[in-house]
Amino acid sequence: MMSDAKSDVRPLFTYTIGGVKIEMPVRPYPSQVSMMDKVIRGCQKQQNCLLESPTGSGKTLALLCSALAWQRAEKERLEKLSEEEFQQKLIEWQQKEQQKKQQKEKKQKKPNTPEKKLAETNISPAKNKGLCLSTDVTISDDSEEEMAIFKQPVKKRKINNSRDLDVSNDKSKSNDDSIMTDDSSANNSLMTEDENENNEPKIENNLPKKTKPIIPVIYFCTRTHKQIEQVIKELQRTSFNNARSCVLASREHTCIQDSNIFYPQISYKSKTELCRDLLDPRARRRNSIKLRKPIDRCNYYDNGGVKISTYGQLAKFGVSSVWDIEDIVRLGITKHSCPYYGTRLLLKTAEIVFCPYNYIIDPVIRRTMNLKLKGHVIIVDEAHNIEDQCRDAASLQLDQTNMNLAKADCEKIYKSSGNSVTYGRLARYLSDLSKWIDEKSNDIKTYDEYNRGVLSWSGTYTIASFDDFGVGLKAFEIFKKDCDTALADLAEENESEETKNSKKENVENELGNKDENETIENNSSKDQDPDSAITNATKTLLSSICSVFSLFYDEKYKYDYHVSLVKVMQLKKFEHKERGIMTGIGGWLNSGPEEPKDTRPVWNNVVSFLCLNPAAVFDELKSTVRNIILTSGTLSPMQSFQSELGTQFPIALEAAHVIKQDQCWVTSVGVGPSGTDLNGQFQNINTYNYQDEMGKVLLDVCTVVPHGVLCFMPSYTLMDKLYNRWQLTGLLNRLNQIKVVMCEPRRGDQLEELMAKYYAAVRGDEGGPRGALFLAVYRGKISEGLDFSDNNARAVVAVGIPFPNYKEESVKHKKDYNNKHHKNKGLLPGWEWYQIQAYRALNQALGRCIRHKNDWGAILLVDSRYEQPKNQSGLSKWIRGRVENNSSWSTIVAKLKNFVETRQLHDSTAAALT
């Protein structure tokens, strides 16, 4: 139940599972109770979970409420243990102090001197300021825990002079429009009064301190930011809506700088490229020459990039603890402060963190974001793609052109930097690796019609070849150490930019002796020498090589790689510039007018290190975190996840759907209206008979089914073929008279506008036909994450079986790898793995039909192969038990019409009763 005042939300239903009190805003379904039980048990026992629950069964709400309820109970337990431990240490300390004093007094005791009274264990705080034996320790949420990230990592000090204590001083107060912490509240928690500290002995040196327990953080991961937005809306419904949440997102979602700040002289492909240029002194210098004017560091970063730092500040400016990207971006715009870097500080004290799951899986991204996952809980929703994500994270495509640019970058530092040995070795290793590529590419003698030649080897052969060429394990270990030195520059830069400046600014506000403008000036003046650091592109490349080569050379995984070299002819543009202006990595930099451009064919080499074992990446993750919970509507068969990821999941669940039997009608479709076989194999779909028959099927479905209809196809190629054929035959025009026909775009940035048009057409806002037909592809953006509840999808037409493209190198080698290792590693044979990839994509698309317990819709499996029981075994459990095999199209249309009319009558009756 949603309330206007989120803090007033009251749980309607309370359950106790495993001793943990769980509060739910609605009465949970049996499947939700089962899922919450598994989550609680997994977190308590530190065991991994594999939980399958159909889309629309409320799994997100169950995951959030159970995980946060366990976290709350765990926090209470750990704090209680910490208090008990502190009490015990305090008693032991008191006893030791008592014994020391007794021994000291015995030694100092004289015959004619009256015996001194033993000191009381409760020493008066009036005489011994700074020493307090009270066991009640109060910790302010926003003051100590959040502001602790700003404490300097040097010697501890007492802020005890009058200037520090005068928090009412105007200079120490933050302005109303600042996002800095108010000194009158937060900074007080960092101060202790000790007027006589210099005069009295520090008798509290050995006083035991109460340790603050580390509470496990919940990392909730899903595929897209759109899905994260939906998860946050669910969290805001619950009684846990005061949990400190944080959303990790790329600059593309959080950067508020103008992308066209230097247009038309400089055009940026992405916000990431723009941000790096504005923060990189070398890039700013190059651009300053090109624009003939000085370029300052990003004004949003300097003005507030490190100032959106605590949840107390968010509350002060009207942003709740559970916020979405739009909330933090609006605050950043209002306060002229960078949301991207501000989020990195909020992460340090968050209780639940939302992010796309590649942030967690990919080691390079994990290090870039400085994510410390040890002892924390990872929940991966929509985890059916996690095998592919892990393989991708352990794989590398090494473009020789980019590698040579990185080599030139390191050589430049080698000539100008004091640390020349490190960068000289880096350049040498990259140069040797490039020479190895050149030598191997000379062995390519045959090329296809696209001027493309390919060679490939096993991982073990490649390692042996590397050894012979001097870039083997021994050379890589030296290279990796040098990379750590180079990448430390980036880490130090991030530290100084995000944290050090914020620490400095907080200290300055405490002392009240510098204003913000002076701080900014000091920060800008301390920019590193532009020629003393490699570019971000080079750092990213070095980090990727280190990450993948570390696995590649690992005895445990070296047999899991396949290496290929692709030599391809590319057309590249070369600019004719005047000489003598300035030479940079990218060529001549000339601020003069544009001159003619020349396009030339150039051979380029790309080496791919393809990892065939997802366990290579997942193994490191599972050994670090407390436990991992994988959930999706399409995880079956469960065994493949355990074998592919090399991880045991002791706790597993296959939950039933929450809908009744009559809310979803499923049928296989073997033939169309003209009796044409609808087998979706490659040789059949290219015939006009098949293409025309598919059009007739959709025409009949759109005539019978009201509102929205989704049609999924195996590829964009087939979708384009059908669409073009229907245009020629006039069938597309007939479809458009019944429903608005739309096609899923290849580019993601075009989807949002198209979805708005689709929803409007379903509602009938646009006039004309009331309803829409959306042609989409399996594994696309339409097939998962988007909301097609109720009228938005009253039918889903699934065309063919979406097997992966067997011609793709990655698919071919993965099948061969599984066939070779399925016995010794417990993997599925190659053909079974291949089938599972198809059915997971299919089941994910079919899940668009039913989105909640009162939803209804029809599912048509259009392919004669679905009539065979063996081809139904891969369907999700809730669909598999509903499939009908109808021999004629007329029977299917009659049953479909009856199903729709029955459900519409049920809806109208229910609406009349309410």
Side-chain angles (χ1 to χ4, degrees):
M1 180 176 289
M2 181 69 75
S3 172
D4 291 335
K6 294 178 182 177
S7 59
D8 294 331
V9 172
R10 294 290 182 267
L12 299 180
F13 301 93
T14 302
Y15 287 76
T16 301
I17 300 177
V20 175
K21 181 181 177 183
I22 304 175
E23 299 169 340
M24 293 282 286
V26 294
R27 184 186 297 279
Y29 306 133
S31 61
Q32 287 178 303
V33 175
S34 299
M35 176 166 279
M36 291 189 293
D37 173 65
K38 304 296 185 185
V39 171
I40 295 294
R41 194 192 313 171
C43 291
Q44 289 178 334
K45 296 183 177 181
Q46 302 186 40
Q47 292 180 336
N48 299 323
C49 306
L50 203 57
L51 311 177
E52 182 182 75
S53 183
T55 302
S57 59
K59 72 174 182 296
T60 300
L61 191 64
L63 288 169
L64 290 170
C65 290
S66 55
L68 288 170
W70 169 81
Q71 185 189 56
R72 184 179 291 177
E74 182 70 0
K75 180 179 180 181
E76 294 175 356
R77 185 184 72 86
L78 292 176
E79 287 179 344
K80 183 179 178 182
L81 288 176
S82 177
E83 177 64 28
E84 291 174 353
E85 181 182 354
F86 174 69
Q87 292 283 0
Q88 181 62 34
K89 288 181 179 179
L90 194 63
I91 293 172
E92 293 174 358
W93 177 82
Q94 290 173 339
Q95 292 174 347
K96 289 181 180 179
E97 288 298 308
Q98 186 81 356
Q99 292 174 359
K100 287 180 182 178
K101 290 178 182 179
Q102 289 177 349
Q103 293 173 359
K104 185 177 181 180
E105 289 173 356
K106 286 180 180 179
K107 291 180 181 179
Q108 294 178 351
K109 186 176 179 183
K110 297 180 180 179
N112 298 327
T113 304
E115 184 178 351
K116 294 182 180 179
K117 294 182 179 180
L118 292 176
E120 297 291 336
T121 54
N122 279 332
I123 302 173
S124 172
K127 294 183 179 180
N128 297 282
K129 294 190 177 182
L131 173 64
C132 178
L133 302 186
S134 171
T135 59
D136 295 329
V137 179
T138 302
I139 299 175
S140 172
D141 283 342
D142 284 338
S143 59
E144 183 169 329
E145 183 173 0
E146 295 183 347
M147 296 306 294
I149 63 177
F150 299 125
K151 292 181 181 178
Q152 299 190 58
V154 293
K155 292 194 300 182
K156 296 182 180 179
R157 64 185 181 88
K158 296 284 183 176
I159 302 174
N160 56 11
N161 56 43
S162 59
R163 183 172 58 184
D164 294 334
L165 295 176
D166 187 9
V167 296
S168 63
N169 189 307
D170 290 339
K171 292 183 180 180
S172 64
K173 286 186 178 179
S174 59
N175 298 327
D176 291 340
D177 61 349
S178 170
I179 311 186
M180 289 302 297
T181 304
D182 188 353
D183 290 332
S184 62
S185 59
N187 287 338
N188 278 342
S189 65
L190 299 177
M191 304 178 187
T192 54
E193 186 178 2
D194 196 354
E195 296 174 353
N196 301 320
E197 183 181 12
N198 295 331
N199 299 326
E200 295 188 13
K202 296 181 180 180
I203 62 174
E204 75 276 22
N205 279 346
N206 296 324
L207 181 67
K209 295 181 179 179
K210 184 177 180 180
T211 57
K212 188 170 183 60
I214 299 176
I215 311 301
V217 177
I218 308 297
Y219 282 84
F220 196 106
C221 314
T222 187
R223 185 182 180 191
T224 65
H225 286 290
K226 193 69 177 176
Q227 291 168 319
I228 290 175
E229 181 182 334
Q230 296 170 5
V231 173
I232 289 173
K233 287 180 180 177
E234 287 288 282
L235 180 56
Q236 289 172 338
R237 298 173 56 203
T238 71
S239 61
F240 301 97
N241 59 5
N242 58 350
R244 295 195 297 269
S245 75
C246 182
V247 182
L248 299 182
S250 67
R251 295 172 176 88
E252 304 305 315
H253 293 87
T254 54
C255 177
I256 58 177
Q257 182 60 266
D258 181 11
S259 299
N260 298 320
I261 186 172
F262 302 130
Y263 187 82
Q265 292 94 330
I266 304 175
S267 179
Y268 290 100
K269 296 179 181 178
S270 66
K271 288 289 188 76
T272 301
E273 185 181 6
L274 168 64
C275 177
R276 287 175 173 172
D277 261 17
L278 288 175
L279 296 184
D280 186 348
R282 298 178 66 190
R284 291 204 303 273
R285 189 176 72 170
R286 290 196 301 266
N287 293 334
S288 296
I289 295 173
K290 188 170 186 177
L291 296 174
R292 293 182 175 177
K293 66 177 183 179
I295 296 177
D296 297 326
R297 195 160 60 175
C298 176
N299 56 327
Y300 294 107
Y301 177 86
D302 280 334
N303 188 57
V306 293
K307 294 181 183 175
I308 302 180
S309 55
T310 71
Y311 291 88
Q313 294 163 4
L314 293 185
K316 178 179 178 181
F317 293 101
V319 178
S320 63
S321 297
V322 177
W323 51 269
D324 196 8
I325 293 175
E326 292 182 358
D327 300 320
I328 204 73
V329 167
R330 277 195 299 265
L331 178 61
I333 293 173
T334 302
K335 299 301 176 185
H336 214 66
S337 180
C338 175
Y340 176 76
Y341 282 102
T343 300
R344 302 275 286 267
L345 288 178
L346 291 171
L347 171 67
K348 297 176 185 291
T349 53
E351 295 172 322
I352 181 168
V353 178
F354 300 98
C355 62
Y357 48 63
N358 63 318
Y359 282 42
I360 299 296
I361 294 170
D362 194 317
V364 176
I365 299 178
R366 209 160 59 226
R367 283 193 292 270
T368 301
M369 298 297 293
N370 197 27
L371 297 180
K372 308 295 184 184
L373 302 180
K374 185 176 182 180
H376 299 313
V377 176
I378 309 296
I379 299 176
V380 182
D381 197 9
E382 305 299 340
H384 48 276
N385 292 322
I386 195 168
E387 294 176 23
D388 295 336
Q389 290 287 328
C390 288
R391 285 197 300 271
D392 289 345
S395 301
L396 174 66
Q397 276 200 332
L398 202 53
D399 188 303
Q400 188 179 21
T401 301
N402 293 334
M403 190 169 62
N404 286 336
L405 290 174
K407 179 195 71 171
D409 195 17
C410 291
E411 285 176 343
K412 189 171 184 180
I413 307 303
Y414 165 69
K415 295 174 182 178
S416 63
S417 172
N419 193 5
S420 59
V421 176
T422 295
Y423 289 99
R425 285 196 298 255
L426 286 175
R428 194 177 308 115
Y429 185 87
L430 293 175
S431 177
D432 291 344
L433 197 57
S434 182
K435 290 176 183 177
W436 178 87
I437 294 174
D438 287 332
E439 184 175 286
K440 292 299 179 183
S441 69
N442 291 333
D443 295 337
I444 299 177
K445 305 301 181 184
T446 58
Y447 299 88
D448 60 19
E449 64 273 21
Y450 303 106
N451 280 329
R452 178 175 175 270
V454 180
L455 287 178
S456 62
W457 315 275
S458 67
T460 51
Y461 171 86
T462 306
I463 290 175
S465 179
F466 276 5
D467 287 336
D468 294 340
F469 209 80
V471 289
L473 178 59
K474 186 177 180 180
F476 170 68
E477 288 176 344
I478 298 173
F479 171 80
K480 187 176 181 182
K481 291 179 181 177
D482 291 332
C483 279
D484 290 340
T485 302
L487 296 176
D489 295 341
L490 178 60
E492 184 178 351
E493 179 183 338
N494 288 339
E495 170 71 10
S496 63
E497 290 176 347
E498 298 172 32
T499 310
K500 288 184 179 178
N501 288 345
S502 62
K503 293 174 183 175
K504 178 179 179 180
E505 288 172 351
N506 277 271
V507 171
E508 288 168 352
N509 277 313
E510 289 174 5
L511 301 176
N513 61 352
K514 289 189 179 182
D515 60 21
E516 184 175 333
N517 291 330
E518 187 178 350
T519 301
I520 294 172
E521 183 178 347
N522 289 341
N523 290 341
S524 301
S525 66
K526 291 189 177 182
D527 279 346
Q528 59 183 346
D529 179 5
D531 291 324
S532 67
I534 53 179
T535 64
N536 283 289
T538 300
K539 291 172 183 175
T540 301
L541 180 68
L542 293 177
S543 181
S544 298
I545 292 176
C546 283
S547 178
V548 173
F549 277 27
S550 295
L551 296 172
F552 182 58
Y553 281 111
D554 193 321
E555 285 292 325
K556 191 176 180 181
Y557 303 117
K558 68 179 183 180
Y559 299 101
D560 300 333
Y561 276 87
H562 185 88
V563 182
S564 62
L565 170 62
V566 177
K567 184 177 183 179
V568 63
M569 180 73 75
Q570 296 178 340
L571 293 178
K572 292 197 174 183
K573 293 180 180 180
F574 289 82
E575 297 184 3
H576 299 280
K577 300 293 185 178
E578 295 179 4
R579 292 180 176 273
I581 302 297
M582 177 184 172
T583 305
I585 293 177
W588 295 105
L589 294 177
N590 179 18
S591 57
E594 287 293 324
E595 298 189 17
K597 294 180 179 179
D598 182 23
T599 300
R600 305 176 191 172
V602 175
W603 286 106
N604 189 39
N605 296 310
V606 177
V607 182
S608 296
F609 297 83
L610 180 65
C611 180
L612 303 171
N613 182 12
V617 162
F618 200 79
D619 188 60
E620 179 188 358
L621 191 63
K622 73 174 183 183
S623 62
T624 302
V625 302
R626 180 185 181 93
N627 66 315
I628 300 175
I629 301 171
L630 303 183
T631 72
S632 179
T634 51
L635 291 180
S636 298
M638 300 282 197
Q639 184 60 35
S640 72
F641 275 90
Q642 302 202 57
S643 60
E644 287 288 333
L645 297 176
T647 303
Q648 292 299 311
F649 293 87
I651 300 175
L653 172 69
E654 288 184 83
H657 213 304
V658 297
I659 60 171
K660 298 177 181 177
Q661 188 70 23
D662 60 356
Q663 288 178 241
C664 185
W665 181 70
V666 186
T667 184
S668 62
V669 180
V671 295
S674 303
T676 302
D677 184 8
L678 292 174
N679 186 302
Q681 291 181 317
F682 180 76
Q683 62 270 24
N684 196 31
I685 61 176
N686 288 321
T687 64
Y688 288 149
N689 285 341
Y690 176 89
Q691 294 170 13
D692 293 343
E693 195 78 342
M694 271 305 311
K696 294 174 184 177
V697 167
L698 283 177
L699 185 64
D700 285 351
V701 170
C702 290
T703 302
V704 173
V705 178
H707 311 299
V709 175
L710 300 179
C711 178
F712 289 99
M713 301 182 188
S715 67
Y716 284 105
T717 302
L718 177 60
M719 184 174 71
D720 292 340
K721 283 182 180 179
L722 294 178
Y723 191 85
N724 294 333
R725 174 64 181 173
W726 298 339
Q727 275 185 317
L728 291 174
T729 61
L731 190 137
L732 184 63
N733 185 48
R734 294 170 64 188
L735 276 172
N736 273 314
Q737 293 175 0
I738 303 172
K739 294 186 187 298
V740 179
V741 180
M742 301 178 182
C743 293
E744 179 176 356
R746 282 179 167 84
R747 286 174 49 188
D749 59 352
Q750 299 174 338
L751 183 61
E752 187 173 350
E753 181 181 354
L754 195 62
M755 287 305 305
K757 291 181 179 179
Y758 176 80
Y759 293 141
V762 171
R763 294 190 302 266
D765 296 349
E766 303 295 325
R770 182 180 176 87
L773 168 63
F774 211 134
L775 305 178
V777 296
Y778 299 106
R779 301 182 183 89
K781 291 187 178 297
I782 299 296
S783 67
E784 51 182 292
L786 294 179
D787 183 18
F788 290 99
S789 60
D790 301 320
N791 288 340
N792 291 322
R794 287 307 183 194
V796 171
V797 181
V799 179
I801 303 175
F803 290 107
N805 185 353
Y806 67 92
K807 292 184 178 180
E808 284 188 9
E809 289 290 314
S810 59
V811 175
K812 176 181 177 297
H813 293 309
K814 176 60 179 171
K815 287 174 66 177
D816 293 343
Y817 175 84
N818 276 38
N819 284 332
K820 183 178 180 180
H821 296 287
H822 81 273
K823 290 184 178 180
N824 62 317
K825 292 191 175 183
L827 301 175
L828 293 174
W831 174 247
E832 289 185 33
W833 171 86
Y834 187 67
Q835 285 184 308
I836 284 173
Q837 306 313 303
Y839 280 97
R840 284 202 179 124
L842 172 67
N843 291 328
Q844 196 63 27
L846 299 182
R848 302 310 95 195
C849 187
I850 305 297
R851 306 301 295 174
H852 57 83
K853 70 171 184 175
N854 295 319
D855 205 354
W856 61 270
I859 293 176
L860 287 80
L861 303 170
V862 184
D863 196 305
S864 57
R865 289 174 289 180
Y866 285 120
E867 295 177 343
Q868 303 172 20
K870 68 176 183 178
N871 289 324
Q872 295 179 11
S873 61
L875 295 170
S876 292
K877 181 180 178 182
W878 70 275
I879 298 175
R880 190 167 60 241
R882 288 179 160 87
V883 179
E884 296 182 8
N885 292 327
N886 295 288
S887 57
S888 68
W889 177 247
S890 58
T891 303
I892 292 172
V893 173
K895 288 186 175 182
L896 177 61
K897 185 175 182 180
N898 179 65
F899 169 74
V900 170
E901 291 175 348
T902 301
R903 295 312 309 175
Q904 286 180 319
L905 178 61
H906 179 274
D907 285 354
S908 59
T909 303
L913 294 175
T914 58

